[in-house]
Amino acid sequence: MSATAAAAHPPRPMAFWLVVGAGWLTLAVPSLWDFMFGQWSAYSQGHELLLLSVVVWLMWRQWPSIRALPDRTPAWWAWCSLALGLLAYAFGRTQEFIRIEMLSLWWISVSILLACKGWAGLRQTWFMWLFALFVIPIPFSVVLMLTAPLKEAVSALATVILGAVGYPVGRSGVVITAGQYQLLVAEACAGLHSMFILEAMGLLYSYLVNHQSWLRNGLLAAFAVPVSFFANVIRVMILVVVTYHFGDAVGQGFIHNFAGIVLFAVALALIGLVDALLGLFLPDRQAEPKA
């Protein structure tokens, strides 16, 4: 990079950032609306609004430190990166490729930060951009491919546990029989979507607690996957027990959605428990008192 490209720039006024933000919202709002509430809502997995809210909160939390960084004169490659992102957005928007739209919005955001604050800005906010990738939907073909073994495993373990405590349950593939009722373990109950959001939440938890041990942070993020699996087993067991005692209408009504809330609460509690157990082996060192 040339000395001119890397030179410090006079501090940009707040009006500049408001204009940039308004321009970004002009692109983002139609795409996000179509994705979560419009023509692409079928692709939504239900957690994107929550994750997007977390991204906004992270930006608000880090904004003072971002503003404190010295402004830079944009390098030529930063302009090229921004132009590439805008072209990708135009292509995705006109050709109706929602994932290209979403990914290009992410790329445009990163390019704007690099143009204004340089690599220091990206180092300051790396976790926010990593977390924002979880908003982009998983291709449905990948969902179908990965949920097949997950559905089998979730339904098998739930059947074994319920059978061990005396419930008259059986299983044929991903169909669980409980008394006179049959329940299909569908993609939504298989755990991939919840694993996706809980992995994001596990990373967020690791980032916020900021343990001194990178190994502990990495293990904590990795354990989000088995934690989500067992939480989904609990969810399926709740639905089977409720359906067995109160009927299919109750099991597929409010209780079905409430079981999703229970899933999230149980998973977060298990992540906290795993963190506490990891702390027994990888504790944070106490800061040494200054002389």
Side-chain angles (χ1 to χ4, degrees):
M1 184 186 299
S2 65
T4 303
H9 191 280
R12 294 180 174 90
M14 191 62 190
F16 168 83
W17 295 108
L18 291 175
V19 171
V20 170
W24 185 87
L25 288 174
T26 301
L27 300 177
V29 169
S31 297
L32 294 174
W33 181 268
D34 288 345
F35 173 55
M36 290 185 287
F37 308 107
Q39 62 176 330
W40 300 109
S41 58
Y43 287 76
S44 174
Q45 297 152 13
H47 59 250
E48 292 84 6
L49 189 58
L50 172 63
L51 297 183
L52 188 60
S53 300
V54 174
V55 173
V56 172
W57 175 76
L58 288 171
M59 172 60 81
W60 174 81
R61 182 172 180 261
Q62 294 182 304
W63 181 247
S65 58
I66 296 173
R67 284 293 308 274
L69 292 172
D71 291 333
R72 316 298 294 180
T73 301
W76 64 269
W77 51 265
W79 290 116
C80 291
S81 178
L82 180 58
L84 179 63
L86 291 171
L87 287 173
Y89 176 85
F91 175 77
R93 187 72 179 163
T94 56
Q95 302 303 311
E96 298 186 346
F97 291 122
I98 185 60
R99 293 184 182 88
I100 295 179
E101 276 187 67
M102 302 286 286
L103 188 58
S104 61
L105 285 171
W106 179 89
W107 187 274
I108 290 168
S109 305
V110 174
S111 299
I112 291 173
L113 181 68
L114 282 172
C116 296
K117 297 295 183 178
W119 292 106
L122 188 59
R123 287 193 297 269
Q124 184 78 28
T125 58
W126 67 271
F127 177 80
M128 181 180 67
W129 303 118
L130 174 65
F131 191 88
L133 288 173
F134 284 90
V135 179
I136 301 173
I138 309 173
F140 191 65
S141 58
V142 176
V143 173
L144 291 177
M145 178 181 67
L146 295 180
T147 50
L150 285 173
K151 287 189 293 185
E152 288 275 357
V154 167
S155 56
L157 187 55
T159 303
V160 169
I161 295 174
L162 290 174
V165 297
Y167 278 94
V169 295
R171 182 180 69 90
S172 176
V174 295
V175 177
I176 298 177
T177 303
Q180 60 179 323
Y181 302 104
Q182 287 188 332
L183 295 91
L184 172 66
V185 179
E187 282 77 12
C189 298
L192 180 62
H193 293 161
S194 56
M195 283 183 183
F196 198 65
I197 186 172
L198 287 172
E199 181 65 27
M201 290 298 145
L203 288 172
L204 179 64
Y205 180 89
S206 300
Y207 174 75
L208 293 178
V209 297
N210 194 25
H211 292 304
Q212 295 173 352
S213 170
W214 280 92
L215 178 59
R216 182 175 177 180
N217 289 330
L219 288 174
L220 191 58
F223 270 110
V225 175
V227 161
S228 174
F229 173 80
F230 285 110
N232 273 281
V233 172
I234 294 173
R235 177 189 186 185
V236 171
M237 290 170 57
I238 290 174
L239 293 176
V240 171
V241 170
V242 170
T243 301
Y244 176 76
H245 287 289
F246 302 102
D248 185 66
V250 177
Q252 297 303 313
F254 169 77
I255 296 297
H256 190 276
N257 295 326
F258 181 74
I261 300 175
V262 173
L263 158 76
F264 194 70
V266 169
L268 290 180
L270 289 175
I271 289 175
L273 178 61
V274 168
D275 185 30
L277 293 175
L278 289 174
L280 298 176
F281 302 96
L282 299 167
D284 289 329
R285 291 185 235 170
Q286 297 291 334
E288 297 182 4
K290 296 182 179 179

